[in-house]
Amino acid sequence: MALRLVQVNFKARDDSALGRFWAEVLGWGVSSEGPGVTNVEPVGFAWPDPVAVCVDVVTVPDPETVKYHVHLDLATTSAAHQAELVARLKELGATPADVGQGDVPWTVLADPEGNVFCVLEPREIYRDTGPIAAVVVDCADPRAMARFWGEATDWTLHEVTDDHARLRSAKGVGPYLEFLRTTPGVKTVWNRVHLDLMPYRGDDQAAEVARLQTLGATGADVGQGDVPWIVLADPEGNEFCVLTPG
């Protein structure tokens, strides 16, 4: 048994506006499965498919404004492309962000609701990922997180050190899932950005949840109420959702 990473979930004050922003950023389309939810995915995409990790934007009453533990890195193909993309993103409403990065070759921006993301300089490793190079999770122990998420999903571990770990779909397509060693601090609120996982069709959601708990996941209450998905937290307290099989 294994789970698929199918989307990154953003909590927002205005799902429609933030969804449109990210659709413009990524060159993707938007749809909606209901009020308060905007789905951002490639045009003509047959969800779910590891070739892309989609973006799901959900309106909540009081999205937190805190240092986020999960962010997106965007890929570029040249220095000119990076400069052009940064300029276009600022026109769309992104603003420069200082997270203590210092003098680095990538550019750190914040979307219109304050979610930080990076526009990377060209890197060979990301040449075939699509517009999202990586989904990056800040953590204290990349090795431990790589073990947990490697067991939780069907993704392959490509690199692990004390400071960094990198996984990618076993099919070798789409963005990477990366764990970056930081000093996250004491977590006092739920993450505004989190990952959504999905069992394969025919697998059992409850059995997958039980398996994850044996790996170190714990139940989490983010005020979700009676919903068909199950909210858990990884060993470092990052919430994620296990959706129904599909």
Side-chain angles (χ1 to χ4, degrees):
M1 293 192 296
L3 294 161
R4 294 168 285 176
L5 173 56
V6 293
Q7 61 196 22
V8 180
N9 186 298
F10 284 74
K11 299 294 184 288
R13 290 183 295 274
D14 183 341
D15 66 281
S16 180
L18 192 61
R20 287 195 303 272
F21 170 83
W22 279 102
E24 289 285 345
V25 169
L26 301 172
W28 292 356
V30 295
S31 60
S32 179
E33 61 195 65
V37 181
T38 298
N39 312 109
V40 183
E41 59 188 37
V43 176
F45 181 73
W47 189 85
D49 186 315
V51 73
V53 172
C54 298
V55 174
D56 213 32
V57 186
V58 181
T59 292
V60 297
D62 55 351
E64 297 287 348
T65 305
V66 295
K67 181 181 185 299
Y68 306 117
H69 291 258
V70 182
H71 73 266
L72 300 182
D73 281 353
L74 304 185
T76 63
T77 57
S78 67
H81 180 210
Q82 182 186 19
E84 291 165 2
L85 181 57
V86 168
R88 185 170 68 84
L89 296 180
K90 289 178 179 178
E91 291 178 357
L92 292 171
T95 53
D98 185 351
V99 294
Q101 68 268 26
D103 184 17
V104 293
W106 59 89
T107 301
V108 184
L109 299 173
D111 73 16
E113 291 210 11
N115 300 295
V116 171
F117 63 99
C118 298
V119 181
L120 302 180
E121 75 284 4
R123 301 185 193 180
E124 180 64 20
I125 191 173
Y126 301 131
R127 61 182 172 78
D128 63 349
T129 60
I132 299 176
V135 180
V136 183
V137 182
D138 291 347
C139 65
D141 188 343
R143 290 186 184 276
M145 290 288 273
R147 284 193 298 271
F148 172 82
W149 284 93
E151 291 285 344
T153 68
D154 60 354
W155 285 34
T156 300
L157 181 64
H158 282 248
E159 178 186 356
V160 60
T161 69
D162 289 343
D163 295 320
H164 183 263
R166 178 182 288 126
L167 297 89
R168 196 184 193 191
S169 163
K171 294 185 178 179
V173 295
Y176 289 84
L177 175 61
E178 300 185 358
F179 299 96
L180 183 65
R181 186 179 182 183
T182 60
T183 306
V186 178
K187 188 172 182 294
T188 58
V189 296
W190 45 266
N191 286 347
R192 185 174 170 181
V193 181
H194 71 259
L195 306 180
D196 284 345
L197 307 181
M198 176 182 281
Y200 282 92
R201 188 179 302 276
D203 285 350
D204 183 79
Q205 181 190 37
E208 284 290 345
V209 168
R211 184 178 69 85
L212 293 171
Q213 289 173 327
T214 67
L215 296 174
T218 54
D221 185 353
V222 295
Q224 66 267 27
D226 184 17
V227 292
W229 58 88
I230 297 172
V231 185
L232 298 174
D234 71 19
E236 290 203 9
N238 299 297
E239 296 87 8
F240 64 96
C241 294
V242 180
L243 309 179
T244 54

